[in-house]
Amino acid sequence: MLTKKQLDLLAFIHKRVQRDGVPPSFDEMKEALDLRSKSGIHRLITALEERGFIRRLAHRARALEIVKLPESLGGEASHGFTPRVIEGDKPSAPQPANSYGVDASDVIDVPMMGRIAAGVPIEAIAHASHNVTVPGSMLSGKGVHYALEVRGDSMIEAGINDGDVVIIRETNTADNGDIVVALVEDQEATLKKFYRRGNAIALEAANPAYETRVLPEEQVKVQGRLVGLIRSY
C-alpha cells in the first residue's frame, strides 16, 4: 500500500508523462507536492521503485518510467502500465509493427521531418524524409503528428538526449511549461520549454549550461508540442 505522498507523486509523474511524453523534473515534483527539499522527492521515488511502480534508467538525467499503476489511478496489478516512451535504437526507416511489441492494428506512420536542435537552433524544418511507425497510444488526439531527431544536449534534464526521436503534435498554441518546437524568426527551429512573459516568449532549456532565450512574441511561432519520445541507445 502506498502512502498519500507516494500516491500523489506517482499520479503527478503519470499525468506529466501522459501530457508531455517525459517525466517532470525534481524541482517540479517538489513544487507539486509542496515539499521543502528535493531529498524528500528522492525518498519517495526510492520507495516507489522498491514497490515496483517506477523504474529509474541508469546514466540518464530525469529518466523515470512508470511500470504499473495502482487501481486507484486506473491501473491493474496484473498488467503493467506502458508509458508513451519507446526504448531502443532510433528508427532510420519505417519499422515493422511488431518492432515495438504492439498489435499491428494499433500503429501509425508519422513523417520524419528532419532534425531539431536541443541546443543552439539549427535551420528550420523542411521536408519529410521517411515515415516512422509508432504505437497509436503514443499520439495525442486526432491532430497531425510528426517525428524529429534531436541534436544537442540542452534538454537532457527533461530526459531528452542527443539522438533521441521526439513525436510532435502539430499546434500553434502552447501552455506555460510545455515542451514545444519553436520557429524563431521564421529561420531557426528549436526544442525548448515554452513560457509567456507579457509580450515576450521565453524559450527555456532543461540544462543549466544554456541560457533562457527571451524574444518578442512576434519572433516566435509554435510549430508543435511534444507528446512522445523514442530513446536512442
Side-chain angles (χ1 to χ4, degrees), residues 17-18 60 63 84 103-104 149 166 168 178 193 214 231:
V17 169
Q18 289 294 294
R60 291 192 173 275
R84 291 182 297 158
D103 189 273
E149 182 182 345
V166 290
I168 305 296
D178 283 349
K193 285 188 176 182
V214 181
R231 290 200 174 100

PDB file of all heavy atoms in Angstrom, residues 17-18 60 63 84 103-104 149 166 168 178 193 214 231:
ATOM      1  N   VAL A  17       3.847  12.524 -17.778  1.00  0.00           N
ATOM      2  CA  VAL A  17       4.296  11.646 -18.859  1.00  0.00           C
ATOM      3  C   VAL A  17       3.226  11.539 -19.935  1.00  0.00           C
ATOM      4  O   VAL A  17       3.507  11.569 -21.132  1.00  0.00           O
ATOM      5  CB  VAL A  17       4.671  10.253 -18.313  1.00  0.00           C
ATOM      6  CG1 VAL A  17       4.873   9.260 -19.462  1.00  0.00           C
ATOM      7  CG2 VAL A  17       5.941  10.332 -17.470  1.00  0.00           C
ATOM      8  N   GLN A  18       1.957  11.439 -19.505  1.00  0.00           N
ATOM      9  CA  GLN A  18       0.868  11.375 -20.469  1.00  0.00           C
ATOM     10  C   GLN A  18       0.748  12.671 -21.264  1.00  0.00           C
ATOM     11  O   GLN A  18       0.455  12.656 -22.455  1.00  0.00           O
ATOM     12  CB  GLN A  18      -0.458  11.096 -19.741  1.00  0.00           C
ATOM     13  CG  GLN A  18      -0.579   9.691 -19.190  1.00  0.00           C
ATOM     14  CD  GLN A  18      -0.621   8.649 -20.297  1.00  0.00           C
ATOM     15  OE1 GLN A  18      -1.568   8.594 -21.076  1.00  0.00           O
ATOM     16  NE2 GLN A  18       0.411   7.840 -20.374  1.00  0.00           N
ATOM     17  N   ARG A  60      20.942   8.385 -17.102  1.00  0.00           N
ATOM     18  CA  ARG A  60      20.086   9.292 -17.853  1.00  0.00           C
ATOM     19  C   ARG A  60      19.434  10.271 -16.893  1.00  0.00           C
ATOM     20  O   ARG A  60      18.797   9.863 -15.937  1.00  0.00           O
ATOM     21  CB  ARG A  60      19.020   8.523 -18.629  1.00  0.00           C
ATOM     22  CG  ARG A  60      19.638   7.724 -19.761  1.00  0.00           C
ATOM     23  CD  ARG A  60      18.578   7.197 -20.706  1.00  0.00           C
ATOM     24  NE  ARG A  60      19.219   6.584 -21.859  1.00  0.00           N
ATOM     25  CZ  ARG A  60      19.618   7.238 -22.921  1.00  0.00           C
ATOM     26  NH1 ARG A  60      19.447   8.529 -23.008  1.00  0.00           N
ATOM     27  NH2 ARG A  60      20.194   6.612 -23.911  1.00  0.00           N
ATOM     28  N   ALA A  63      15.382  10.322 -16.048  1.00  0.00           N
ATOM     29  CA  ALA A  63      14.784   9.225 -16.803  1.00  0.00           C
ATOM     30  C   ALA A  63      14.048   8.297 -15.856  1.00  0.00           C
ATOM     31  O   ALA A  63      14.642   7.469 -15.182  1.00  0.00           O
ATOM     32  CB  ALA A  63      15.845   8.471 -17.591  1.00  0.00           C
ATOM     33  N   ARG A  84       4.116   6.394 -22.743  1.00  0.00           N
ATOM     34  CA  ARG A  84       4.276   6.717 -24.153  1.00  0.00           C
ATOM     35  C   ARG A  84       5.732   7.039 -24.459  1.00  0.00           C
ATOM     36  O   ARG A  84       6.087   8.097 -24.936  1.00  0.00           O
ATOM     37  CB  ARG A  84       3.383   7.895 -24.530  1.00  0.00           C
ATOM     38  CG  ARG A  84       1.908   7.544 -24.513  1.00  0.00           C
ATOM     39  CD  ARG A  84       1.078   8.707 -24.945  1.00  0.00           C
ATOM     40  NE  ARG A  84       1.213   9.822 -24.035  1.00  0.00           N
ATOM     41  CZ  ARG A  84       0.949  11.076 -24.345  1.00  0.00           C
ATOM     42  NH1 ARG A  84       0.566  11.383 -25.545  1.00  0.00           N
ATOM     43  NH2 ARG A  84       1.074  12.028 -23.453  1.00  0.00           N
ATOM     44  N   ASP A 103       0.222  -4.441 -31.194  1.00  0.00           N
ATOM     45  CA  ASP A 103      -0.606  -5.028 -32.228  1.00  0.00           C
ATOM     46  C   ASP A 103      -0.540  -4.191 -33.502  1.00  0.00           C
ATOM     47  O   ASP A 103      -0.500  -2.961 -33.452  1.00  0.00           O
ATOM     48  CB  ASP A 103      -2.054  -5.109 -31.729  1.00  0.00           C
ATOM     49  CG  ASP A 103      -2.916  -5.914 -32.694  1.00  0.00           C
ATOM     50  OD1 ASP A 103      -3.435  -5.280 -33.637  1.00  0.00           O
ATOM     51  OD2 ASP A 103      -3.050  -7.123 -32.490  1.00  0.00           O
ATOM     52  N   ALA A 104      -0.530  -4.859 -34.630  1.00  0.00           N
ATOM     53  CA  ALA A 104      -0.408  -4.150 -35.910  1.00  0.00           C
ATOM     54  C   ALA A 104      -1.554  -3.194 -36.164  1.00  0.00           C
ATOM     55  O   ALA A 104      -1.415  -2.238 -36.923  1.00  0.00           O
ATOM     56  CB  ALA A 104      -0.314  -5.172 -37.050  1.00  0.00           C
ATOM     57  N   GLU A 149      14.408  14.146 -35.182  1.00  0.00           N
ATOM     58  CA  GLU A 149      15.585  13.632 -34.492  1.00  0.00           C
ATOM     59  C   GLU A 149      16.252  14.775 -33.723  1.00  0.00           C
ATOM     60  O   GLU A 149      16.475  15.853 -34.281  1.00  0.00           O
ATOM     61  CB  GLU A 149      16.571  13.024 -35.489  1.00  0.00           C
ATOM     62  CG  GLU A 149      17.805  12.420 -34.811  1.00  0.00           C
ATOM     63  CD  GLU A 149      18.791  11.858 -35.816  1.00  0.00           C
ATOM     64  OE1 GLU A 149      18.417  11.676 -36.994  1.00  0.00           O
ATOM     65  OE2 GLU A 149      19.948  11.609 -35.423  1.00  0.00           O
ATOM     66  N   VAL A 166      11.788  12.585 -31.135  1.00  0.00           N
ATOM     67  CA  VAL A 166      10.607  13.104 -30.450  1.00  0.00           C
ATOM     68  C   VAL A 166       9.410  13.062 -31.394  1.00  0.00           C
ATOM     69  O   VAL A 166       9.547  13.248 -32.602  1.00  0.00           O
ATOM     70  CB  VAL A 166      10.825  14.545 -29.933  1.00  0.00           C
ATOM     71  CG1 VAL A 166      11.812  14.550 -28.779  1.00  0.00           C
ATOM     72  CG2 VAL A 166      11.303  15.475 -31.033  1.00  0.00           C
ATOM     73  N   ILE A 168       5.870  14.819 -32.190  1.00  0.00           N
ATOM     74  CA  ILE A 168       5.297  16.153 -32.016  1.00  0.00           C
ATOM     75  C   ILE A 168       3.876  16.198 -32.568  1.00  0.00           C
ATOM     76  O   ILE A 168       3.617  15.701 -33.672  1.00  0.00           O
ATOM     77  CB  ILE A 168       6.150  17.215 -32.749  1.00  0.00           C
ATOM     78  CG1 ILE A 168       7.622  17.152 -32.281  1.00  0.00           C
ATOM     79  CG2 ILE A 168       5.564  18.609 -32.558  1.00  0.00           C
ATOM     80  CD1 ILE A 168       7.835  17.488 -30.822  1.00  0.00           C
ATOM     81  N   ASP A 178       5.042  23.790 -21.414  1.00  0.00           N
ATOM     82  CA  ASP A 178       5.024  22.795 -22.484  1.00  0.00           C
ATOM     83  C   ASP A 178       6.386  22.742 -23.175  1.00  0.00           C
ATOM     84  O   ASP A 178       7.074  23.764 -23.318  1.00  0.00           O
ATOM     85  CB  ASP A 178       3.969  23.145 -23.532  1.00  0.00           C
ATOM     86  CG  ASP A 178       2.552  22.824 -23.081  1.00  0.00           C
ATOM     87  OD1 ASP A 178       2.398  22.136 -22.057  1.00  0.00           O
ATOM     88  OD2 ASP A 178       1.605  23.261 -23.763  1.00  0.00           O
ATOM     89  N   LYS A 193      11.351  24.472 -23.610  1.00  0.00           N
ATOM     90  CA  LYS A 193      10.169  24.727 -22.796  1.00  0.00           C
ATOM     91  C   LYS A 193       9.648  26.124 -23.104  1.00  0.00           C
ATOM     92  O   LYS A 193      10.428  27.063 -23.255  1.00  0.00           O
ATOM     93  CB  LYS A 193      10.508  24.617 -21.308  1.00  0.00           C
ATOM     94  CG  LYS A 193      10.696  23.196 -20.814  1.00  0.00           C
ATOM     95  CD  LYS A 193      10.837  23.166 -19.305  1.00  0.00           C
ATOM     96  CE  LYS A 193      10.926  21.742 -18.792  1.00  0.00           C
ATOM     97  NZ  LYS A 193      11.008  21.700 -17.309  1.00  0.00           N
ATOM     98  N   VAL A 214      14.833  34.976 -24.375  1.00  0.00           N
ATOM     99  CA  VAL A 214      13.590  35.740 -24.270  1.00  0.00           C
ATOM    100  C   VAL A 214      13.476  36.596 -25.526  1.00  0.00           C
ATOM    101  O   VAL A 214      14.350  37.430 -25.814  1.00  0.00           O
ATOM    102  CB  VAL A 214      13.568  36.616 -23.003  1.00  0.00           C
ATOM    103  CG1 VAL A 214      12.255  37.387 -22.920  1.00  0.00           C
ATOM    104  CG2 VAL A 214      13.760  35.755 -21.750  1.00  0.00           C
ATOM    105  N   ARG A 231      13.663   6.712 -27.313  1.00  0.00           N
ATOM    106  CA  ARG A 231      15.025   6.853 -26.800  1.00  0.00           C
ATOM    107  C   ARG A 231      16.006   6.066 -27.656  1.00  0.00           C
ATOM    108  O   ARG A 231      15.738   4.940 -28.065  1.00  0.00           O
ATOM    109  CB  ARG A 231      15.099   6.377 -25.344  1.00  0.00           C
ATOM    110  CG  ARG A 231      14.391   7.290 -24.379  1.00  0.00           C
ATOM    111  CD  ARG A 231      14.884   7.079 -22.952  1.00  0.00           C
ATOM    112  NE  ARG A 231      14.276   8.080 -22.089  1.00  0.00           N
ATOM    113  CZ  ARG A 231      13.213   7.853 -21.309  1.00  0.00           C
ATOM    114  NH1 ARG A 231      12.653   6.659 -21.303  1.00  0.00           N
ATOM    115  NH2 ARG A 231      12.731   8.791 -20.544  1.00  0.00           N
TER     116      ARG A 231
END
